[in-house]
Amino acid sequence: MAIVALLPFTASMLTGCHHQAPLAPELAAIACPADRAEHASEMFGKAEVTFVCVTPEVAAKPSLLRCDPNSRPVYCEDSGTITLSRLPGGKLVPGAPSNAREYQPPPVTEPETDAGSLFEASFYDKPPGKANYEVGPRQYLRDADKQRMPPGFTLVNGPVCDRVSNALRHASCRLEAKSASLHWYITVSIPRPIGNKIDDELYQQDMTLWLDLLGKMVTDPKS
């Protein structure tokens, strides 16, 4: 009888545990803060999206990535944002570079100097609104044939890229993409002093890095 009584408790303990699949080496290389050293995957639409550098609480309950437990009724949505940075020298960290403890904006004077980059990808289960991809006087439309997309993604608009850095001291390439069940708005920004010209090859290097990494974070559809 004692053994039988323990079975429901044991079963609940097992179902309450959430075991995450190991990260791809490229994702495991991202340097996470000690209090956010976990990762978690959750379904958005028909896609499984993996988030790195999350808290143990989120890792134990990945539904927190898409649901607000404090709302009444509980509100869930198939949308989210991924923000990562490459620091000067190549180290990858979560969030914007200004939030990284070891990051100090370098005094960039030459276009070839490595100043890192910022990657922002927002996704939705339906188009949230029409984005503006018109090319301005200080922008250009990047050759779509040069823009390799990760498996399962197709290019919808762009990339539209800044020729020179703006008043916010960065230059960006932005594009719209589609996976099987999600719409993606992606921006790769490179910090530079105001008016600094950005060579297309610099965009190519970082966009290739980030889009390849995104392909390892998203499985759409998840079979």
Side-chain angles (χ1 to χ4, degrees), residues 107-204:
V108 178
T109 57
E110 298 294 333
E112 293 78 18
T113 301
D114 179 16
S117 62
L118 171 66
F119 172 76
E120 298 173 286
S122 297
F123 59 89
Y124 310 85
D125 62 334
K126 57 179 67 68
K130 185 171 178 58
N132 179 15
Y133 284 90
E134 292 184 9
V135 181
R138 304 183 72 174
Q139 298 175 317
Y140 66 97
L141 180 63
R142 199 161 191 272
D143 186 353
D145 292 336
K146 293 175 62 176
Q147 191 53 66
R148 188 183 73 201
M149 300 300 293
F153 286 75
T154 56
L155 183 64
V156 177
N157 278 309
V160 173
C161 303
D162 296 327
R163 295 186 183 276
V164 296
S165 52
N166 56 33
L168 298 177
R169 302 178 67 84
H170 69 253
S172 301
C173 272
R174 55 194 178 88
L175 61 88
E176 179 182 355
K178 179 80 170 63
S179 59
S181 64
L182 297 174
H183 298 262
W184 295 82
Y185 294 89
I186 298 168
T187 302
V188 174
S189 300
I190 298 176
R192 284 292 187 275
I194 300 172
N196 202 174
K197 183 178 179 181
I198 310 297
D199 185 86
D200 189 73
E201 185 60 28
L202 291 177
Y203 285 130
Q204 171 73 3

Side-chain angles (χ1 to χ4, degrees), residues 1-208:
M1 291 295 292
I3 294 176
V4 174
L6 284 173
L7 286 176
F9 175 76
T10 305
S12 66
M13 288 286 287
L14 290 174
T15 56
C17 295
H18 191 89
H19 297 285
Q20 297 291 341
L23 284 173
E26 296 85 349
L27 298 178
I30 297 173
C32 300
D35 60 344
R36 290 188 289 129
E38 307 292 333
H39 68 279
S41 299
E42 179 64 0
M43 297 299 296
F44 294 84
K46 296 179 180 178
E48 181 182 70
V49 182
T50 297
F51 289 77
V52 296
C53 301
V54 301
T55 63
E57 178 188 19
V58 172
K61 192 175 182 181
S63 61
L64 292 172
L65 291 167
R66 64 181 299 269
C67 299
D68 180 4
N70 297 317
S71 63
R72 293 293 181 271
V74 174
Y75 179 71
C76 301
E77 57 184 348
D78 287 317
S79 63
T81 300
I82 299 169
T83 304
L84 298 167
S85 296
R86 184 180 70 79
L87 304 186
K91 184 177 183 179
L92 303 184
V93 298
S98 58
N99 294 331
R101 295 174 184 173
E102 300 137 12
Y103 178 77
Q104 293 295 330
V108 178
T109 57
E110 298 294 333
E112 293 78 18
T113 301
D114 179 16
S117 62
L118 171 66
F119 172 76
E120 298 173 286
S122 297
F123 59 89
Y124 310 85
D125 62 334
K126 57 179 67 68
K130 185 171 178 58
N132 179 15
Y133 284 90
E134 292 184 9
V135 181
R138 304 183 72 174
Q139 298 175 317
Y140 66 97
L141 180 63
R142 199 161 191 272
D143 186 353
D145 292 336
K146 293 175 62 176
Q147 191 53 66
R148 188 183 73 201
M149 300 300 293
F153 286 75
T154 56
L155 183 64
V156 177
N157 278 309
V160 173
C161 303
D162 296 327
R163 295 186 183 276
V164 296
S165 52
N166 56 33
L168 298 177
R169 302 178 67 84
H170 69 253
S172 301
C173 272
R174 55 194 178 88
L175 61 88
E176 179 182 355
K178 179 80 170 63
S179 59
S181 64
L182 297 174
H183 298 262
W184 295 82
Y185 294 89
I186 298 168
T187 302
V188 174
S189 300
I190 298 176
R192 284 292 187 275
I194 300 172
N196 202 174
K197 183 178 179 181
I198 310 297
D199 185 86
D200 189 73
E201 185 60 28
L202 291 177
Y203 285 130
Q204 171 73 3
Q205 293 172 7
D206 274 87
M207 291 183 74
T208 298

